[in-house]
Amino acid sequence: MSSERLVPHNPATGQPLDPVDCTTPEGVREVVARARSAQRAWAATAADARATQIRAVAKAIGDHADALARSISDEMGKPIREARSEARSIAARVESFVRAADQALADEDGVENGIRVRVRWRPLGVVGVIAPWNYPVATPSNLLLSALLTGNAAVFKPSEYTPHTGALLHRLYAETLPEGLVGLVQGAGAVGAALVASDVDMIAFTGSIATGQAIMREAAATMKRLVLELGGKDPMLVLPGADLQAAARHAADEALRNAGQVCVSVERIIVHADVAGEFTRRVAELVRAVKPGDPRDESTTFGPMASARQRDLVLAQLADARSHGATFVIEGQAQGPGYYLTPSVVTDLKPEMTLVKDETFGPVVAIQVARDVDEAVEMANDTRYGLGASVWGAPGPELDAVADRIEAGMVGVNRGLSTAAGGPWVGWKMSGLGYTRSVTGMRHFLQPQSQARRAE
Ligand code: NAD
């Protein structure tokens, strides 16, 4: 460990938490080397035996859901009930990961021109897992489970905002699995960069586009495999024929969940002019009922933002929108102690506003009005992002056709995506490179190898 230390802060109070030592560059290399030694035996372990051990990890995470939830709340301000369900979600989804890995690992055989080709799917080796702070248990676990079930070792770097949660989560993996198989390194961007530059074979990263680009540049030197899950500017289209109350509920819930700090969420709403007034009135009514509270209180649904930096970024976007003529139906206020920012509902948005162009990642219901369906689709696609989206309207082929025109990796039709299972977790355009979940997502953690023989 180095003399450098991380000092996370409790976002509800602004008070510092216990410091955590950063891993030195030498320490990063050692952790990676230990993971590499442990990986050989793990890759040679039968897939069903690996799955049994991974199920035990998921159970351990569920058994420690209360401790993990307290740590998540203290480090990034998530309301305790949501934090607990985040920790419990791993056990609920482990079976779908096991099934997908099982299918992804299956050999494929074919015969052509007298040659039999067998495609074997082989683990890559050691996967560096670099995670953000907004879902500090669920997000790294998605990447760790994928890496481990496919026979890889992993080295995990939690966000510098959630190092204690990261350490606790790591302990649950490390205590259940063979020694050294899952390593931990702690620190901010420099430690992440050291992990990318180290002897790992792949980086599985979730975070911002800017960091994803830095990782891609660094990884080019050794042609490391990459899965990059990046930011979004998820549009929600509300069209005539939509159940406006259900749409308003979805808009308020998903724009404000986790104080708006969710990657697949509602970042902007594009509402058809015919229903814009009624929809906006209903959303505003729901948002007015949202009251900020102490994240450790079981009844709290809306907590502080995770950091002063994140709050200030959102405040800057709101100030920019104001200066370009936006209308504030509800104006959010920064409140202390801690990094609270109450929700905003903003309309009359223009394409040049940062609130429209850039990811906000904060508690803002941002509403744009479109003259017709074509304009709504155009506005939805007029972005460098392409993570999630949803379309709301009268169910049927016309609405399905609108969904088909949206340039996003995940599109909900009259619903969000939060519980959709089985499909890939995937971004389009600059929202990601490669993807996870599903059989094809699992294959990003594997190297295909063609073995050719004369057919008998
Ligand atoms: P971030 O990019 O600032 O940091 C993410 C991680 O990368 C941290 O652990 C950080 O220490 C590390 N890092 C920073 N610089 C690095 C470098 N040069 N090399 C290697 N690692 C480096 O992102 P954040 O603020 O922690 O998280 C918020 C972002 O994450 C948002 O953009 C959000 O949309 C995105 N996100 C995406 C998904 C998804 O599934 N697509 C899920 C959750 C969050």
Side-chain angles (χ1 to χ4, degrees), residues 205-223:
F205 168 77
T206 304
S208 63
I209 290 179
T211 306
Q213 289 170 318
I215 289 174
M216 216 170 159
R217 279 191 294 272
E218 178 70 44
T222 46
M223 210 56 84

Side-chain angles (χ1 to χ4, degrees), residues 415-423 425 437:
R415 55 158 297 133
L417 288 152
S418 49
T419 54
W425 185 264
R437 306 201 199 169

Side-chain angles (χ1 to χ4, degrees), residues 25 47 62 64 73 81 93 106 114 123 187 196 208 225 229 306 379 381 414 446 455:
H64 290 80
S73 267
R81 287 170 72 101
R93 75 176 57 147
V196 178
S208 63
R225 300 296 182 268
E229 302 187 327
M379 288 160 96
N381 290 339
N414 282 328
L446 293 162

Side-chain angles (χ1 to χ4, degrees), residues 130-135 139 157-161 187-194 196 205-212 214-215 228-232 262-264 309-310 359 361 387 410 425 431:
I130 303 179
W133 43 263
N134 62 328
Y135 283 85
T139 300
K157 193 197 89 60
S159 165
E160 58 272 35
Y161 291 95
V191 176
V196 178
F205 168 77
T206 304
S208 63
I209 290 179
T211 306
I215 289 174
L228 306 175
E229 302 187 327
L230 309 175
V262 182
C263 50
V264 173
R309 168 177 160 261
Q310 196 59 36
E359 185 177 48
F361 230 55
L387 191 56
M410 298 174 274
W425 185 264
S431 286

